[in-house]
Amino acid sequence: MFYIQGVRGRHHTTHRPWRLPLMVLLALILGAVPALAACTDPPGPGVSWRRCSLDGRDLNEADLSGMQLRDASLQRTQLAGARLVGVEGSYVRFVSSDLNGADLTGATLREADFTRATLRGARLVRADLRRARMYRADLTEADLTGAMLGGTDFTGVILSGATWTDGARICAAGSVGSCQ
């Protein structure tokens, strides 16, 4: 517990434990401290699901734009057609999730785990996917224009018809592990 101390007299100290909660309440009212959302809160602007377990949820077509998903677990989650534009999701786990047609434009997904996830037709335009794990993911016809892929694991990744990072090259049918 944090106390603010004051001196009364020569050797007497009093504690005022009510001061800190009062200052925090005043800061929240004035907007100086952002409110944090709980893992049970619905998706929306400014919501933070950091370190939340959201495994197996149905978030198809949900708007998660601008949310904080760092260290969250969304394994086997339904995110088809979801908007994850500008999401901060470093270290997030999308293992075996359905992200078909999802929009991840400008998302920060460094070291995210997309093992066996399906991202058919997903928009990963300008997404930061450095050191992400894409092991056996399906990126058929995904758009990777401007995506940052340094150190990304593409082992077994299906890239048929995907638009590569230069925005011009389309990966050949049967491209697995690299854009042919």
Side-chain angles (χ1 to χ4, degrees), residues 137-141 154-164 169-180:
D138 185 352
L139 273 73
T140 300
E141 297 180 6
F154 275 95
T155 304
V157 174
I158 301 168
L159 292 162
S160 296
T163 304
W164 198 241
R169 188 167 78 177
I170 306 297
C171 302
S175 292
V176 176
S178 64
C179 185
Q180 303 298 319

Side-chain angles (χ1 to χ4, degrees), residues 91-124:
Y91 307 102
V92 70
R93 289 169 303 288
F94 291 108
V95 175
S96 298
S97 290
D98 178 354
L99 289 133
N100 291 326
D103 188 353
L104 295 108
T105 300
T108 301
L109 299 163
R110 286 186 299 268
E111 298 190 47
D113 190 350
F114 290 93
T115 298
R116 293 181 312 279
T118 57
L119 294 110
R120 293 172 152 264
R123 291 184 45 83
L124 296 154

Side-chain angles (χ1 to χ4, degrees), residues 34-76:
L36 297 176
C39 295
T40 56
D41 286 351
V47 171
S48 176
W49 281 347
R50 291 181 66 165
R51 293 186 282 294
C52 292
S53 177
L54 306 161
D55 298 342
R57 292 218 183 154
D58 183 350
L59 296 170
N60 287 328
E61 305 293 328
D63 189 356
L64 308 176
S65 297
M67 290 182 63
Q68 297 291 316
L69 297 174
R70 186 182 175 109
D71 291 317
S73 180
L74 289 110
Q75 297 182 88
R76 297 171 313 285

